[in-house]
Amino acid sequence: SQQGEEDPQALSIQEGENATMNCSYKTSINNLQWYRQNSGRGLVHLILIRSNEREKHSGRLRVTLDTSKKSSSLLITASRAADTASYFCATINTGGFKTIFGAGTRLFVKA
Amino acid sequence: NAGVTQTPKFRVLKTGQSMTLLCAQDMNHEYMYWYRQDPGMGLRLIHYSVGEGTTAKGEVPDGYNVSRLKKQNFLLGLESAAPSQTSVYFCASSPVSGQNEQFFGPGTRLTVL
């Protein structure tokens, strides 16, 4: 079963708008990561948030983590057409190191 | 640095044929992984390695074998390909700690007829 599950499965917005994607997971984790995948390409790491952190920023990205609800969100502000991609959350269980990926959110940003 | 490279990029096999996918990384990473990605699904871990000469099973290891004879290379073998193994295969590597980000290769698109 998938550890991380993203919501929504697909999202279509206009350029300049903000995009929010959510991820839920089932077990205790050491950290949660977000990756981006452009069509036909490999995944690219965006940001990592540790289990003792609640919020992290990187450029136009803002990630939150709520371990009590076992959920995370990724906010992309002022989206651009180049942000069009699939976004995946990935978790590593406490005591382990195998990364479990969710099914992803497909984001489409219209110019 | 080339990062993580994969060969081949595309391959078509007939059921029952065998092949080996090669992954190479030039970042001196200890950990390497093989994933498969199917439509509408996230990546699923096939096998992984925590260092030269070591391998371990992931979520979906059946039908695959791996070897890590050299630190920079991680090979994925299909002994007798089946249509269910039609997928895009990604290799990744990460530094000493498995908690760090993973660096991905561009993928191999495999079709088994």
Side-chain angles (χ1 to χ4, degrees):
Chain A
S1 63
Q2 295 288 341
Q3 165 75 320
E5 296 182 4
E6 290 89 346
D7 168 57
Q9 291 185 337
L11 181 61
S12 182
I13 60 174
Q14 294 284 357
E15 206 167 31
E17 294 180 337
N18 295 341
T20 299
M21 288 159 268
N22 303 298
C23 169
S24 60
Y25 57 91
K26 296 183 176 67
T27 63
S28 297
I29 60 172
N30 275 331
N31 67 57
L32 185 144
Q33 303 177 37
W34 285 91
Y35 287 80
R36 183 186 73 218
Q37 183 181 35
N38 291 91
S39 181
R41 309 291 289 273
L43 277 70
V44 174
H45 184 265
L46 293 177
I47 194 166
L48 180 153
I49 185 166
R50 302 195 185 280
S51 58
N52 61 354
E53 297 176 312
R54 292 295 168 259
E55 187 171 312
K56 202 163 184 180
H57 296 256
S58 177
R60 294 185 295 113
L61 304 180
R62 172 178 171 255
V63 170
T64 62
L65 179 64
D66 187 335
T67 53
S68 66
K69 295 181 179 178
K70 292 186 169 57
S71 67
S72 173
S73 67
L74 170 68
L75 168 67
I76 304 174
T77 60
S79 62
R80 306 166 182 168
D83 294 328
T84 294
S86 292
Y87 292 82
F88 296 88
C89 71
T91 56
I92 299 177
N93 293 357
T94 302
F97 82 96
K98 287 186 288 185
T99 307
I100 306 297
F101 288 84
T105 292
R106 293 170 63 183
L107 173 65
F108 181 66
V109 182
K110 293 176 280 188
Chain B
N1 287 353
V4 179
T5 58
Q6 293 182 233
T7 54
K9 289 185 170 54
F10 304 93
R11 187 71 186 269
V12 178
L13 291 178
K14 294 181 179 179
T15 297
Q17 287 185 318
S18 63
M19 77 163 294
T20 300
L21 282 68
L22 171 64
C23 175
Q25 52 95 4
D26 60 3
M27 296 172 285
N28 201 35
H29 287 169
E30 290 292 335
Y31 289 47
M32 296 188 74
Y33 316 80
W34 275 107
Y35 295 92
R36 60 177 288 173
Q37 184 178 35
D38 300 296
M41 300 183 70
L43 275 70
R44 291 184 291 169
L45 183 65
I46 304 171
H47 285 280
Y48 63 97
S49 168
V50 301
E52 180 179 320
T54 71
T55 64
K57 295 180 179 180
E59 292 178 80
V60 288
D62 294 341
Y64 305 96
N65 57 75
V66 288
S67 64
R68 184 102 180 265
L69 298 180
K70 293 182 178 181
K71 185 177 183 178
Q72 63 268 35
N73 295 337
F74 195 28
L75 279 63
L76 177 70
L78 285 73
E79 291 184 348
S80 180
S84 61
Q85 294 178 304
T86 293
S87 188
V88 181
Y89 291 86
F90 288 99
C91 176
S93 69
S94 64
V96 174
S97 168
Q99 308 290 327
N100 288 3
E101 68 175 283
Q102 295 183 25
F103 295 79
F104 282 82
T108 294
R109 186 173 295 275
L110 175 65
T111 301
V112 183
L113 303 175

